[in-house]
Amino acid sequence: MEIAKLGEFGLIDHLTNDIKMVNPSTVKGVGDDCAVLHYEGTETLVTTDMLMEGVHFDLTYVDMKHLGYKSAMVNISDIFAMGGTPRQIVVSIALSKRFQVEDMAAFYNGLRMACEKWGVDIVGGDTTSSLTGLAISITCIGEAKKEDIIYRSGAKDTDLICVSGDLGAAYMGLQLLEREKMVYYGEVKKLQEKIKDPEQLSREIEKAWQPDFNGKEYLVERQLQPEARGDILKKLREAGVHPTAMMDISDGLSSELHHICKQSGTGCRIFEKFLPIDYQTAVMAEELNMNVTMCALNGGEDYELLFTCPIGDNDIVQNMEGIKVIGHMTKAEYGLQLVSRDGSDFELLAQGWKHLS
Amino acid sequence: MEIAKLGEFGLIDHLTNDIKMVNPSTVKGVGDDCAVLHYEGTETLVTTDMLMEGVHFDLTYVDMKHLGYKSAMVNISDIFAMGGTPRQIVVSIALSKRFQVEDMAAFYNGLRMACEKWGVDIVGGDTTSSLTGLAISITCIGEAKKEDIIYRSGAKDTDLICVSGDLGAAYMGLQLLEREKMVYYGEVKKLQEKIKDPEQLSREIEKAWQPDFNGKEYLVERQLQPEARGDILKKLREAGVHPTAMMDISDGLSSELHHICKQSGTGCRIFEKFLPIDYQTAVMAEELNMNVTMCALNGGEDYELLFTCPIGDNDIVQNMEGIKVIGHMTKAEYGLQLVSRDGSDFELLAQGWKHLS
């Protein structure tokens, strides 16, 4: 269905009319000039992210539902990275004419799946038009007790450095999707030369997207459907571990370590052999002739948690499933160091994942 | 200066390093995964707006400073429209390569001017790249005592309908700017035919933007530099008037009245003769052969306050400077009516300003 048929207000109604609020802190959701929230005796956390078509996502291989899911999840991840509990999101979308009501419904389905997973209410937003691509902006609001908030600036020079899950898989997933896109473009070109009837051509082009992800499903999932690590935060709480600094890994481990070291006034020393890397990530890097350590250091979008904790917690974190101790903080004058498998020291560069290839 | 020279983090530092926080509720601003806010015993208000180049603004005649100012002000306006006090904003921007550090600095100057006017802190955001135009998304956070919040749904069928300031001027300003743009495009075309040297051409094109706003400055200002009406809210408070429903007029009076009537379960009756219209608006409409009443009803972006209040407040609001009583609410079955100057009744259509011309 054409969006113009419903109009802006009709579309918003269509997308939001059966959204139920689950948080007592949500006083009023969609439908007025503002959402109204109520927080008693806690701090409010606010984070925002903007996603642009062609820069942050490619609709050739990302469907609208996954896009909605990821858009919400990356913001939810920022709230966990502060030690908070996500409560509400507001969603702004700018759409060009090629999008249909069904596309928006799929996007909202994805949003809602992510929000339901973490008990987050969708409380407002703005739906508008765009001359070119799709633009998405999401703001997530959460809460935390003052003493539970984990800033980037609290690391001490003797703290351990830990990461959750594994690294580099989302970046390898992106490489895989890009490779399959190139295969698809080749097929499309062949079809365009062969088939003259525009309707038949369009049908055949639709059928031509048959990517081969065999044995690499994990990588694709990590790229398309990242998960915020609220479970890790909960585990740490339950074990009595109080991280001294924390961030989620969106730009890549190196880049995030630079932020934490800068704000905490420390250096760090991490070990190549301790970096958690999934088997599929290693295989894919091999296939693409890429250095898997570089992928783990600089590939972004894993949305795992990077945190530091006192050395006294060593026994706990060493034995915690899903957590890997990868090194320790140092005095600032030692800089940021990576110790390679053969024991050599390298300076850790924060090149960011976009400049990796 | 090229933005690439500073990099994303350098740019953010450059733009935000001397921002001072003025609100006690701002615990932590820019520089971590989230901003941290603290509200004690009040409700939190959240509103968001997205502005896309070519849809919401045209950089031919909007400079970056005005754009920043307006982007912040339209969000601040939504907080006032709920009866709240704006406290913080987060700002997301997606930029294409043609923008320079100086453009962003001008944009932030505008943002800061608007924020300083109303004591609002800039506490975070996201700066990213765009393949095509400029996209801006701003979320504003405010607070209000529970009993001070003014929803759209509280109007009674005997209430008065009031608006602040005057209507239609921003829309006339837009028409004027569009007209001057056409004149400019004509000049540019002539220059392109005459001058072959690209450097000289570029200099001459820059000089060719000499719009004639003589006697129409007010209209241009209303379009480029709208003001949120926190002053009106304050006046109403001081006079003891408690609006029963309120909105800011962004899409046009008709459209906003439809929202209030729908949510309050009422009809309304407004009078053409009472619509506040500035002299310059009337002259410009005449010049363009447009119906000035239609401009006042459906021209958007005035950001004036539309509110309803009990009929007992009639004496107060009738005598309040900057407020005009334009009609009254009715039972829902009477629908939405406009009484023309000659006393005829017309149904009030909510066509929205985008479809006006």
Side-chain angles (χ1 to χ4, degrees):
Chain A
M1 197 200 297
E2 302 273 336
I3 286 173
K5 264 196 193 160
L6 287 176
E8 182 190 339
F9 304 124
L11 176 64
I12 294 169
D13 272 356
H14 176 74
L15 298 172
T16 61
N17 65 2
D18 63 339
I19 291 181
K20 280 178 195 61
M21 301 296 135
V22 298
N23 285 295
S25 58
T26 307
V27 179
K28 164 86 186 174
V30 177
D32 216 301
D33 301 289
C34 303
V36 181
L37 317 175
H38 183 80
Y39 295 103
E40 191 79 68
T42 65
E43 314 293 281
T44 304
L45 305 175
V46 185
T47 179
T48 192
D49 255 309
M50 197 161 199
L51 303 170
M52 301 295 289
E53 187 176 351
V55 178
H56 301 95
F57 56 89
D58 183 332
L59 290 171
T60 314
Y61 50 72
V62 180
D63 60 285
M64 293 296 280
K65 190 173 168 183
H66 276 112
L67 185 60
Y69 190 89
K70 185 168 175 174
S71 306
M73 206 50 98
V74 302
N75 277 282
I76 289 171
S77 177
D78 274 325
I79 301 286
F80 287 135
M82 290 289 279
T85 306
R87 295 293 187 202
Q88 288 93 8
I89 62 169
V90 292
V91 183
S92 289
I93 314 170
L95 297 159
S96 64
K97 282 196 179 145
R98 75 193 149 96
F99 292 95
Q100 303 266 314
V101 172
E102 289 75 11
D103 297 320
M104 287 311 299
F107 180 83
Y108 260 77
N109 268 341
L111 272 183
R112 289 166 71 160
M113 267 182 65
C115 287
E116 278 165 19
K117 189 156 200 167
W118 293 110
V120 172
D121 292 329
I122 303 172
V123 296
D126 190 17
T127 304
T128 187
S129 46
S130 153
L131 288 186
T132 49
L134 180 64
I136 301 162
S137 173
I138 293 191
T139 299
C140 187
I141 295 143
E143 61 174 316
K145 277 188 251 166
K146 194 179 166 194
E147 61 273 23
D148 287 341
I149 297 179
I150 308 161
Y151 292 98
R152 297 175 180 178
S153 52
K156 303 280 170 303
D157 58 16
T158 53
D159 284 349
L160 300 173
I161 303 172
C162 308
V163 293
S164 65
D166 59 79
L167 299 177
Y171 182 70
M172 282 296 105
L174 181 65
Q175 299 306 310
L176 177 60
L177 286 161
E178 284 288 332
R179 187 179 75 180
E180 294 301 310
K181 186 174 90 169
M182 288 306 136
V183 173
Y184 169 67
Y185 280 3
E187 288 300 315
V188 168
K189 212 178 157 197
K190 274 189 230 159
L191 290 169
Q192 281 168 335
E193 282 162 10
K194 211 169 66 186
I195 302 169
K196 294 299 156 206
D197 177 52
E199 273 184 34
Q200 195 199 343
L201 178 63
S202 141
R203 274 196 307 274
E204 294 295 325
I205 286 178
E206 215 158 290
K207 279 190 277 178
W209 175 244
Q210 293 186 324
D212 176 15
F213 298 144
N214 200 6
K216 303 194 171 68
E217 294 80 2
Y218 178 66
L219 305 178
V220 176
E221 197 184 302
R222 291 283 282 175
Q223 172 57 225
L224 297 183
Q225 196 175 323
E227 298 294 343
R229 300 308 307 263
D231 57 329
I232 295 288
L233 190 64
K234 188 162 168 263
K235 258 190 195 175
L236 292 171
R237 287 253 159 82
E238 287 169 356
V241 176
H242 298 281
T244 48
M246 189 154 71
M247 276 187 81
D248 64 337
I249 303 177
S250 54
D251 288 338
L253 178 64
S254 291
S255 174
E256 317 308 12
L257 276 172
H258 272 264
H259 286 300
I260 288 184
C261 287
K262 188 180 167 194
Q263 294 201 28
S264 295
T266 63
C268 72
R269 190 169 167 84
I270 63 167
F271 296 82
E272 186 182 16
K273 63 181 171 191
F274 295 145
L275 293 177
I277 292 167
D278 185 78
Y279 174 74
Q280 289 189 18
T281 307
V283 170
M284 187 73 200
E286 178 92 19
E287 241 184 89
L288 296 174
N289 207 13
M290 295 175 87
N291 181 326
V292 71
T293 298
M294 291 303 284
C295 295
L297 288 174
N298 298 316
E301 300 199 276
D302 286 318
Y303 297 102
E304 294 296 342
L305 290 174
L306 164 68
F307 63 92
T308 59
C309 63
I311 195 156
D313 289 331
N314 189 41
D315 283 355
I316 304 176
V317 288
Q318 288 285 8
N319 293 306
M320 201 175 268
E321 216 194 301
I323 302 267
K324 199 84 185 273
V325 180
I326 60 167
H328 56 83
M329 302 305 273
T330 60
K331 290 199 190 307
E333 57 263 39
Y334 296 114
L336 285 75
Q337 301 292 331
L338 172 74
V339 183
S340 69
R341 277 175 207 281
D342 65 7
S344 324
D345 276 23
F346 291 92
E347 196 190 340
L348 205 56
L349 300 172
Q351 41 192 347
W353 69 280
K354 271 165 206 141
H355 318 288
L356 184 65
S357 47
Chain B
M1 197 200 298
E2 302 272 337
I3 285 173
K5 265 196 195 160
L6 287 176
E8 183 190 340
F9 304 124
L11 176 64
I12 294 170
D13 272 356
H14 176 75
L15 298 172
T16 61
N17 64 2
D18 63 339
I19 291 181
K20 279 180 197 59
M21 301 295 136
V22 298
N23 286 295
S25 58
T26 307
V27 179
K28 164 85 186 175
V30 176
D32 216 302
D33 302 288
C34 304
V36 181
L37 318 175
H38 183 80
Y39 295 104
E40 191 80 68
T42 65
E43 313 294 281
T44 304
L45 305 175
V46 184
T47 179
T48 191
D49 256 308
M50 196 160 199
L51 303 170
M52 302 293 291
E53 185 175 353
V55 178
H56 302 96
F57 57 89
D58 183 332
L59 291 171
T60 314
Y61 50 72
V62 180
D63 60 285
M64 293 296 281
K65 190 173 169 185
H66 276 113
L67 185 59
Y69 190 89
K70 185 167 174 174
S71 304
M73 206 50 100
V74 302
N75 277 282
I76 289 171
S77 177
D78 274 324
I79 301 284
F80 287 135
M82 291 289 279
T85 306
R87 294 293 186 203
Q88 288 92 8
I89 62 168
V90 291
V91 183
S92 288
I93 315 172
L95 297 159
S96 63
K97 284 199 178 138
R98 73 192 150 97
F99 293 95
Q100 304 265 313
V101 173
E102 289 74 13
D103 297 319
M104 286 312 299
F107 179 83
Y108 260 76
N109 268 340
L111 272 183
R112 289 166 71 160
M113 267 183 66
C115 287
E116 277 164 20
K117 189 157 200 167
W118 293 110
V120 172
D121 292 329
I122 302 173
V123 295
D126 190 18
T127 304
T128 188
S129 47
S130 153
L131 289 186
T132 49
L134 181 63
I136 301 161
S137 172
I138 293 191
T139 300
C140 188
I141 294 143
E143 62 174 315
K145 278 188 248 166
K146 194 180 166 192
E147 61 272 24
D148 287 341
I149 296 179
I150 308 161
Y151 291 98
R152 297 175 180 178
S153 53
K156 302 280 171 303
D157 58 15
T158 53
D159 284 350
L160 299 174
I161 303 172
C162 307
V163 293
S164 65
D166 59 79
L167 300 176
Y171 181 71
M172 282 296 104
L174 181 64
Q175 299 305 310
L176 176 60
L177 286 161
E178 284 288 331
R179 188 178 74 180
E180 293 302 310
K181 185 174 88 170
M182 289 305 136
V183 173
Y184 169 67
Y185 280 4
E187 287 301 316
V188 168
K189 213 179 155 194
K190 273 190 231 160
L191 289 169
Q192 282 168 336
E193 283 162 10
K194 214 169 64 185
I195 303 170
K196 295 298 158 206
D197 177 52
E199 272 185 34
Q200 194 198 345
L201 178 63
S202 141
R203 275 196 307 273
E204 294 295 325
I205 285 178
E206 215 159 288
K207 280 191 276 177
W209 176 244
Q210 292 186 325
D212 176 15
F213 299 144
N214 200 5
K216 303 194 171 69
E217 294 80 1
Y218 178 66
L219 304 179
V220 176
E221 197 184 301
R222 290 285 280 176
Q223 172 57 226
L224 297 183
Q225 197 176 323
E227 298 294 343
R229 300 308 305 264
D231 57 328
I232 294 290
L233 190 64
K234 187 162 169 262
K235 257 192 194 174
L236 291 171
R237 287 253 159 82
E238 286 169 358
V241 175
H242 297 281
T244 49
M246 188 153 73
M247 276 186 81
D248 64 337
I249 302 177
S250 55
D251 288 338
L253 178 64
S254 291
S255 174
E256 316 308 12
L257 276 171
H258 272 263
H259 285 300
I260 287 184
C261 287
K262 188 181 166 194
Q263 293 200 28
S264 295
T266 63
C268 72
R269 193 170 165 83
I270 63 168
F271 296 83
E272 185 181 16
K273 64 182 172 191
F274 295 144
L275 294 177
I277 292 167
D278 185 80
Y279 173 75
Q280 288 189 18
T281 306
V283 170
M284 187 72 200
E286 178 93 17
E287 241 183 89
L288 295 173
N289 207 15
M290 294 176 87
N291 181 326
V292 72
T293 298
M294 291 303 283
C295 295
L297 289 174
N298 299 316
E301 300 198 278
D302 286 317
Y303 297 101
E304 294 296 343
L305 289 174
L306 164 67
F307 63 92
T308 59
C309 64
I311 196 156
D313 290 330
N314 190 40
D315 284 356
I316 305 176
V317 287
Q318 288 286 5
N319 293 308
M320 200 175 270
E321 216 193 303
I323 302 267
K324 198 82 187 273
V325 180
I326 61 167
H328 55 83
M329 303 306 273
T330 60
K331 289 197 191 308
E333 57 262 39
Y334 296 114
L336 284 76
Q337 301 292 331
L338 171 74
V339 183
S340 69
R341 278 174 206 281
D342 65 8
S344 324
D345 276 22
F346 292 92
E347 195 190 341
L348 205 56
L349 299 173
Q351 43 193 345
W353 69 280
K354 270 164 209 144
H355 318 288
L356 185 65
S357 48

